[in-house]
Amino acid sequence: MSRILLAEDDDSLRGFLARALERAGHEVTACADGEEAVAHLNQSWDLLLTDIVMPGIDGIEVARQAAAKHPGLRIMFITGFAAVALAAGEQAPAGAKVLSKPIHLREIVSEVERMIAA
């Protein structure tokens, strides 16, 4: 079972993602914002799944801090903003994947499984 740290400020999307990933057999800690996610970085994670645009600490900064504490951590971003997705590729830690919203839950679960298996 993989441990996933999820940061998504949209309550309903966060709930859908957490439930889908849990049904797929993963342990998920769901955070409502970047500050909450950063507070969990002292734990061990297999994957960080984060929205990019969030109030306070954004997903890029969460990913930077996570990568600094956990070298080799798999990182996946989700965003509804195409321009942000393009910029994220330049600013994100190496190897991070960016998915654009809207995206089907099955596709996110599949991408998560591929990243964890890699």
Side-chain angles (χ1 to χ4, degrees), residues 17-83:
L17 285 170
R19 283 189 297 278
L21 292 165
E22 287 167 350
R23 279 195 303 271
H26 304 287
E27 179 185 330
V28 179
T29 297
C31 302
D33 56 35
E35 286 88 357
E36 187 179 350
V38 166
H40 288 281
L41 291 180
N42 59 336
Q43 300 174 40
S44 177
W45 303 101
D46 297 301
L47 177 81
L48 169 65
L49 176 59
T50 181
D51 191 2
I52 295 174
V53 179
M54 295 185 289
I57 299 175
D58 68 15
I60 299 288
E61 183 57 28
V62 172
R64 284 189 186 138
Q65 291 186 38
K69 285 190 173 203
H70 305 284
L73 175 69
R74 291 167 179 86
I75 298 170
M76 184 180 296
F77 296 104
I78 47 177
T79 185
F81 302 96

Side-chain angles (χ1 to χ4, degrees), residues 6 8 10-22 30:
L6 168 64
E8 168 60 60
D10 180 287
D11 293 337
S12 58
L13 180 56
R14 184 175 61 255
F16 288 133
L17 285 170
R19 283 189 297 278
L21 292 165
E22 287 167 350

